[in-house]
């Protein structure tokens, strides 16, 4: 299944025409260490879920050592909160069969030292909205990693908030990520 998503990401990048430039390469994230985490709150408890099945690709400009484009795609059902009942309910609430993926496609990446200001489009629950967030870039040898976080309002994406004992969760989800790449 991950080959299908890698192919989808590759096709998207190719479609954007960025990969046609000289000195530009497409680099896939190291799936053994890359992850995306969400955190939610309910008045009675808080929890997190982690996806280690992150499909990400960056378009790297070798000439000026910058990131020209980033695309991230992951399946809603790839998150593990440590509670299978909660995970099943999350897939149900998020209509995971109808909207199986969450994707992000950058539209602008502006470096400022080791911090990148990233603009892009987040598609979640079948709705695409522009978002902006900061990313910390860490480079060591031929490895580069990106750490960041941002909030998503469930109501912005028409997701009915889960409830427990008739009390709904907070409207926002805190998303954080760590994406790691090896530059060749």
């Amino acid at each position: 299944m991950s080959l299908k998503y890698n192919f989808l990401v590759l096709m998207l990048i190719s479609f954007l025409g960025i990969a046609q430039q000289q000195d530009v390469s497409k680099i896939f994230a190291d799936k053994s260490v890359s992850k995306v985490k969400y955190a939610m709150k309910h008045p009675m408890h808080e929890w997190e879920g982690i996806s280690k099945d992150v499909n990400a690709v960056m378009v790297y400009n070798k000439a000026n050592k910058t990131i020209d484009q980033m695309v991230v795609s992951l399946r809603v059902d790839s998150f593990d909160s440590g509670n299978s009942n909660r995970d099943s309910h999350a897939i149900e609430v998020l209509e995971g069969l109808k909207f199986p993926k969450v994707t992000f496609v950058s539209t602008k990446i502006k470096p400022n030292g080791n911090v990148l200001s990233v603009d892009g489009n987040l598609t979640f629950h079948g709705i695409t909205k522009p978002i902006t967030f900061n990313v910390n870039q860490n480079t060591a040898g031929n490895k580069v990693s990106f750490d960041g976080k941002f909030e998503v309002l469930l109501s912005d994406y028409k997701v009915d908030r889960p409830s427990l004992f008739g009390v709904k969760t907070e409207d926002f989800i805190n998303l954080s990520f760590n994406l790691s790449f090896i530059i060749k």
Side-chain angles (χ1 to χ4, degrees):
M1 189 116 181
S2 67
L3 284 176
K4 178 180 175 184
Y5 290 110
N6 285 344
F7 179 73
L8 173 68
V9 171
L10 257 177
M11 291 302 296
L12 181 58
I13 293 295
S14 296
F15 178 75
L16 294 174
I18 294 170
Q20 302 302 320
Q21 302 172 12
Q22 298 248 337
D23 294 328
V24 173
S25 61
K26 295 177 280 188
I27 303 171
F28 286 94
D30 180 352
K31 291 181 78 163
S32 69
V33 294
S34 297
K35 61 185 172 186
V36 174
K37 178 171 62 172
Y38 78 86
M40 289 188 72
K41 293 181 182 180
H42 183 275
M44 297 180 72
H45 70 290
E46 300 176 14
W47 70 96
E48 297 178 340
I50 297 175
S51 173
K52 294 182 180 178
D53 188 16
V54 180
N55 295 293
V57 64
M58 73 173 172
V59 176
Y60 182 73
N61 187 316
K62 295 177 193 176
N64 57 19
K65 298 184 179 181
T66 59
I67 312 306
D68 290 344
Q69 178 86 40
M70 183 79 69
V71 177
V72 181
S73 178
L74 51 114
R75 293 182 344 270
V76 170
D77 66 359
S78 69
F79 285 92
D80 181 3
S81 71
N83 181 318
S84 60
N85 288 332
R86 180 173 38 231
D87 295 340
S88 294
H89 185 62
I91 294 167
E92 181 182 327
V93 167
L94 296 174
E95 299 179 273
L97 293 176
K98 186 175 181 181
F99 307 111
K101 293 184 301 175
V102 176
T103 59
F104 172 78
V105 178
S106 68
T107 56
K108 181 180 177 185
I109 299 174
K110 182 179 176 187
N112 183 10
N114 288 336
V115 177
L116 306 174
S117 175
V118 179
D119 296 337
N121 293 307
L122 178 68
T123 302
F124 176 51
H125 199 244
I127 297 172
T128 302
K129 292 198 168 276
I131 62 169
T132 300
F133 54 92
N134 288 328
V135 175
N136 295 311
Q137 178 179 336
N138 299 302
T139 304
N142 67 338
K143 294 180 182 179
V144 62
S145 65
F146 303 95
D147 297 296
K149 61 184 174 180
F150 57 92
E151 279 187 3
V152 172
L153 290 176
L154 293 172
S155 57
D156 284 350
Y157 294 89
K158 298 187 186 334
V159 174
D160 188 27
R161 294 182 298 163
S163 63
L164 179 64
F165 301 121
V167 179
K168 293 188 179 225
T169 64
E170 291 185 356
D171 190 28
F172 65 89
I173 298 175
N174 287 312
L175 288 172
S176 60
F177 57 88
N178 176 275
L179 304 175
S180 184
F181 298 83
I182 298 173
I183 299 173
K184 297 178 184 178

